[in-house]
Amino acid sequence: YVARAKELGLSHIAITDPASMASMIEFHEACKKASITGIIGMEGYVVEDRLRKDPEHRYDYGHLILLAKDAEGVRNLLRIHNDAQIDGFYGKPRTDYSVLKKYGSHIIALSACIAGEIPKKILMDDMDSARRIISIYQNCFDQFYLEIQPGHFEGQQKVNDALVSLSHELKIPLAATNDIHYLMRHDAKMHDLHIKSCGSKHSYPDTCYYLMAQDEFEDSFTKTDRLTNSEIHQAIVNTNHIASLCDGN
């Protein structure tokens, strides 16, 4: 991935493995070698109470992207990660609002893919809960962004449109990101076979989950009356600003 980022002329790239920081050192060294700023991050699995071990809600969690701004941010990410693995583990390593509030300094958070807490509430038409969760996250971290992503399927379009509206209503900036699961577009079929061979019945609803050049990335969004070219451009500007806040150390 780092080599491909170098080919595309990227100055920064982030790692956000699901509930894991095991690849952090290897990623950091690869970025140093390629003269790219590597942003250390993690995709957290968030529940309201990580100590509640209820079989009925074992997998009832939402994704959240966490990016370290600096060395202290990395230390706080590790604290969140380790607590999730030890005290919060139940089916998955889980964290909760109390831990995020305690260790959220020097960290930038983003609302994640459609499996994020806020997008899930949007898909359920529960906008009041989406607003409540946004308020919680704003009080946990140095910065919080609403995250729009590519995709031509209905769920992604609904989430993107709602996030644009929430951004204007609550004065929270958008960030444009991609949920990268494989390197090149032609890897989509192999990725689908891989997840199904592991026993999953889940199939990814699009073929956009790869590392793109910026012009291709912009074109991969479905434009609507709310998600306009102007909104997408500003979200990309905001994403570049996030990168500038992260020192890669």
Side-chain angles (χ1 to χ4, degrees):
Y1 288 92
V2 174
R4 178 61 176 157
K6 184 74 172 178
E7 287 179 13
L8 294 172
L10 301 183
S11 61
H12 296 69
I13 187 170
I15 185 171
T16 55
D17 286 347
S20 173
M21 297 182 69
S23 299
M24 174 180 70
I25 294 174
E26 181 182 1
F27 169 77
H28 179 69
E29 293 300 318
C31 287
K32 282 179 61 178
K33 187 175 180 180
S35 299
I36 289 176
T37 301
I39 301 170
I40 302 300
M42 180 182 74
E43 181 181 65
Y45 294 150
V46 184
V47 294
E48 292 203 9
D49 182 0
R50 75 198 190 288
L51 302 179
R52 179 184 178 191
K53 309 295 172 71
D54 179 357
E56 186 177 345
H57 302 285
R58 183 167 183 165
Y59 297 105
D60 188 14
Y61 53 79
H63 298 184
L64 182 70
I65 297 300
L66 307 173
L67 302 176
K69 295 170 69 174
D70 49 28
E72 183 59 27
V74 173
R75 284 189 282 271
N76 281 336
L77 269 183
L78 285 167
R79 292 175 178 119
I80 294 168
H81 168 274
N82 293 347
D83 179 87
Q85 294 283 351
I86 297 168
D87 291 335
F89 196 96
Y90 188 63
K92 296 281 188 180
R94 310 169 312 155
T95 189
D96 64 18
Y97 304 141
S98 66
V99 175
L100 297 175
K101 178 67 174 176
K102 185 175 182 180
Y103 299 122
S105 64
H106 297 260
I107 290 174
I108 300 170
L110 298 92
S111 59
C113 61
I114 61 168
E117 276 199 293
I118 294 161
K120 286 168 77 172
K121 296 301 183 185
I122 290 169
L123 292 171
M124 295 167 60
D125 296 317
D126 187 357
M127 299 305 293
D128 287 340
S129 291
R131 293 182 182 92
R132 176 181 64 83
I133 295 166
I134 288 170
S135 178
I136 291 170
Y137 286 153
Q138 282 186 293
N139 290 312
C140 287
F141 305 104
D142 286 11
Q143 286 94 17
F144 176 68
Y145 288 78
L146 297 173
E147 190 172 355
I148 60 171
Q149 293 190 336
H152 299 298
F153 59 100
E154 183 180 352
Q156 187 66 66
Q157 294 176 46
K158 179 176 181 176
V159 167
N160 284 346
D161 279 352
L163 291 176
V164 172
S165 296
L166 288 168
S167 173
H168 287 283
E169 175 190 339
L170 303 175
K171 310 303 181 189
I172 299 172
L174 296 171
T177 71
N178 198 11
D179 191 9
I180 298 170
H181 287 263
Y182 41 88
L183 190 60
M184 308 291 283
R185 185 180 189 127
H186 61 252
D187 294 325
K189 184 175 182 180
M190 188 60 68
H191 176 260
D192 191 56
L193 291 171
H194 168 69
I195 60 172
K196 287 177 179 175
S197 71
C198 294
S200 175
K201 296 180 181 179
H202 173 70
S203 185
Y204 280 67
D206 214 310
T207 58
C208 61
Y209 306 106
Y210 63 97
L211 191 53
M212 303 178 188
Q214 181 169 323
D215 56 350
E216 185 180 14
F217 176 62
E218 291 188 48
D219 290 341
S220 67
F221 284 88
T222 300
K223 315 304 188 297
T224 68
D225 289 343
R226 276 183 274 183
L227 187 64
T228 62
N229 284 321
S230 176
E231 295 284 1
I232 295 166
H233 175 74
Q234 185 57 52
I236 292 173
V237 170
N238 295 342
T239 302
N240 287 328
H241 177 64
I242 292 170
S244 75
L245 297 175
C246 301
D247 66 13
N249 293 316

